[in-house]
Amino acid sequence: MTFPTHGRPAGEILSEVASERSDDLDWRGGKAFSLVYNVDDPDLEALQHEIASSFLHENALNPFRYRTLLRMEAEVVDMACSLFGAATGSMSSGGTESIFLAVQTARDHARARGVTAPTLVCAATAHPAFAKACKYLDVRQVRLPTRSDGRADPDRFASAIDADTALVVVSAPCYPFGVIDPVTEIAALAAERDVLCHVDACLGGYLLPWWERLGEPVPPWDFRVPGVTSLSADIHKYGYAYKGASTVLYRDRDLYQRQIFMYDDWPGGLYASSTAAGTRPGPPIAGAWATMTHLGEEGYLRLAERVRTAMRGFTAGIAGIDGVRITSDPDLSLFEFGIDPDAEPDTGHGNGPLDIGGIADAMDDRGWNLDRQDGGLHVMLSPGHDKVIDAFTADLADSVAHHQSDRGGDHVYGGVVDRA
Ligand SMILES: Cc1ncc(COP(=O)(O)O)c(C=O)c1O
């Protein structure tokens, strides 16, 4: 498309987009996973629309001009600190930015003690945002195989941490399998060697406290664990805010200072910021604050209970279908399922043995959108999934019984479109 000479009426633009969007992934119906957290709460959604539009144009670049945003952001960080036991931190635009900031902080901390070629040690299940941060920030990533249960292996970490290690990373939980790494053991190893330890709780951070309060077994994972020095937790995931809201938190105020950028050698005046962005949109800050204060502990507990109902229903449904099984022992509300290696050889679908790609295609044909991973299909549950347990189970049973060979769907988690 070239740049338009004449503008178009608003009504025409809106109706074009409305009709095009009918083909986009529908998350309200409960058949989408992971990209949108479906809270299924019309009051919360109405509040979010209202607050987003009322802060649409505000800019948090200079917090002293928009003091309402300043207060909201400070309160979001305070709420996060109280939830996880942190001393301080910032809001950022998402998990990737929070991770970048934690890696940059650790890299500069290592440089200050004379490390010239800093490394980051993590398990192979750590989110790709760490690889990306390492690439951008010139840190060498050391990725270690996990134990057979999909969790990081403390023995391997013990051997891999050395004098160049700037940061050790653990996940709570990791995205592919929903399992929490042994945070206590690995943070202790890091502390013994005077190395920083980051917990990536981007995914689980705003659900785990409630999961624990519901009585579910949750291994220690936050700042209660000695040796944990920083933590990322996304409000736009299980914090149920709309996109653009994460928190990066620190045990120690001095460490956090390394994240701050100050520049006073510019004719335009002092430039200071605590995160990567310059101009910062108001809606994610206002939306995170409104969501957290609207829901409160009671609301988050209520939603966690719905997620747990969905988790119990989906896992029981899968367990009741011959030929498929969950590939790990998830600690939270997400998991991978694949072909059961112990399935009877004749459990096939009539055209050969069971084929997970073919099952994924059959589920796609029934309107479900399960992400394909290397070892199976990924399920991430939101509160609204409690309404589709029976439909999912019936469609999966049908798909396992009647599917063709894999049509070759992509294993895509995040994509780039080549515009050349
Ligand atoms: C464990 C984990 N870490 C980090 C991220 C990155 O978050 P974002 O996509 O908001 O940048 C994700 C996203 O799903 C995640 O699951």
Side-chain angles (χ1 to χ4, degrees), residues 282-371:
I285 298 170
W289 178 84
T291 304
M292 290 163 97
T293 52
H294 176 69
L295 289 175
E297 292 191 356
E298 287 162 2
Y300 279 108
L301 270 169
R302 196 175 56 241
L303 292 170
E305 216 160 347
R306 290 188 63 186
V307 174
R308 182 170 71 171
T309 301
M311 180 67 178
R312 288 180 174 168
F314 272 61
T315 51
I318 293 169
I321 300 171
D322 280 347
V324 286
R325 52 128 214 187
I326 294 175
T327 59
S328 65
D329 179 17
D331 290 307
L332 203 59
S333 48
L334 63 149
F335 56 86
E336 176 191 77
F337 72 94
I339 302 299
D340 183 352
D342 300 328
E344 294 294 325
D346 61 356
T347 323
H349 55 96
N351 303 311
L354 288 171
D355 181 339
I356 196 67
I359 294 172
D361 294 337
M363 288 296 275
D364 285 349
D365 295 342
R366 289 162 177 76
W368 299 92
N369 296 274
L370 296 162
D371 287 330

Side-chain angles (χ1 to χ4, degrees), residues 18 62 67 88 115 130 144-145 155 193 206 214-215 248 267 272 278 298 327 336 343 366 386 410 412:
N62 181 342
R67 289 190 172 266
T88 188
V115 176
F130 289 99
L144 305 170
D155 292 340
R193 292 156 175 80
Y206 286 95
L214 289 178
V248 55
E298 287 162 2
T327 59
E336 176 191 77
R366 289 162 177 76
D386 66 351
D410 286 332
V412 173

Side-chain angles (χ1 to χ4, degrees), residues 37 84 92 94-103 120-133 141 152 157 167-176 178-183 186-187 196-208 220-223 227-238 246-249 331-332 334 380 413:
Y37 292 70
F84 308 128
S92 81
T96 301
E97 188 184 355
S98 289
I99 286 167
F100 265 59
L101 293 166
V103 174
L120 177 153
V121 177
C122 63
T125 44
H127 192 272
F130 289 99
K132 189 175 174 184
Q141 188 184 24
F157 274 66
L167 188 63
V168 163
V169 170
V170 282
S171 303
C174 72
Y175 176 94
V179 296
I180 298 179
D181 288 333
V183 178
I186 293 175
L196 302 179
C197 176
H198 181 83
V199 176
D200 177 15
C202 282
L203 187 45
Y206 286 95
L207 178 54
L208 283 168
W221 63 279
D222 61 9
F223 287 101
V228 170
T229 51
S230 60
L231 184 150
S232 47
D234 293 353
I235 316 170
H236 66 201
K237 294 193 170 75
Y238 282 112
S246 172
T247 42
V248 55
L249 304 158
D331 290 307
L332 203 59
L334 63 149
M380 167 112 77
Y413 169 80

Side-chain angles (χ1 to χ4, degrees), residues 340-413:
D340 183 352
D342 300 328
E344 294 294 325
D346 61 356
T347 323
H349 55 96
N351 303 311
L354 288 171
D355 181 339
I356 196 67
I359 294 172
D361 294 337
M363 288 296 275
D364 285 349
D365 295 342
R366 289 162 177 76
W368 299 92
N369 296 274
L370 296 162
D371 287 330
R372 292 154 169 82
Q373 305 201 129
D374 290 351
L377 307 180
H378 193 256
V379 175
M380 167 112 77
L381 296 164
S382 298
H385 285 120
D386 66 351
K387 292 187 171 164
V388 297
I389 296 167
D390 292 343
F392 176 84
T393 307
D395 279 348
L396 182 61
D398 199 33
S399 298
V400 171
H402 307 106
H403 62 274
Q404 308 292 315
S405 301
D406 191 353
R407 293 198 294 258
D410 286 332
H411 295 208
V412 173
Y413 169 80

Side-chain angles (χ1 to χ4, degrees), residues 103-136:
V103 174
Q104 170 263 313
T105 296
R107 181 200 64 182
D108 292 353
H109 184 73
R111 281 183 181 162
R113 59 181 170 83
V115 176
T116 51
T119 64
L120 177 153
V121 177
C122 63
T125 44
H127 192 272
F130 289 99
K132 189 175 174 184
C134 285
K135 174 183 163 172
Y136 279 54

